[in-house]
Amino acid sequence: MITAHQLRAARALLNIDQRQTADLAGLSVPTIQRMEASDGVIRANVDSLMKLVSALEGAGIELIGPGVASAAGGRGVRLREHVAKPKAVRQPKASSRALERAR
């Protein structure tokens, strides 16, 4: 489980915007926007959540759940030390010819 607050905090720790987060997780920007607009725990399909959490963890984010040992308790995020800058997963873009053929 991940909350909207944790997602925004994770982005801040990684110094990436919503577009970069979407690229990193292989999701759309509107999906990331909807997730961040959630109240409390993010509600999304399991596949999207798994992609997001996996991408954040791969970028060095550690999600801290409720009840996990921390100085103040509660949820949070932590950036692991010595983690390389995240690389976005780029989806191939359709050429203008392919777009014309699709019309």
Side-chain angles (χ1 to χ4, degrees):
M1 291 194 322
I2 180 173
T3 66
H5 294 298
Q6 285 176 304
L7 175 53
R8 288 189 295 273
R11 282 197 313 104
L13 284 172
L14 295 172
N15 195 30
I16 59 175
D17 61 20
Q18 289 178 334
R19 162 66 59 199
Q20 292 165 310
T21 304
D23 289 345
L24 188 68
L27 300 170
S28 69
V29 173
T31 296
I32 299 299
Q33 290 171 336
R34 279 191 302 275
M35 288 177 169
E36 287 192 3
S38 297
D39 185 27
V41 174
I42 293 174
R43 299 191 192 286
N45 71 49
V46 174
D47 185 52
S48 294
L49 284 172
M50 294 303 293
K51 285 180 178 180
L52 176 66
V53 170
S54 178
L56 292 175
E57 288 177 346
I61 294 296
E62 181 181 345
L63 298 171
I64 303 166
V68 175
S70 67
R75 295 180 183 274
V77 294
R78 178 182 300 132
L79 181 61
R80 290 190 295 269
E81 292 184 35
H82 310 294
V83 177
K85 185 173 178 157
K87 295 180 183 175
V89 176
R90 298 282 180 195
Q91 300 294 328
K93 293 184 179 181
S95 68
S96 58
R97 286 185 184 168
L99 292 174
E100 286 296 319
R101 280 187 242 138
R103 293 181 188 172

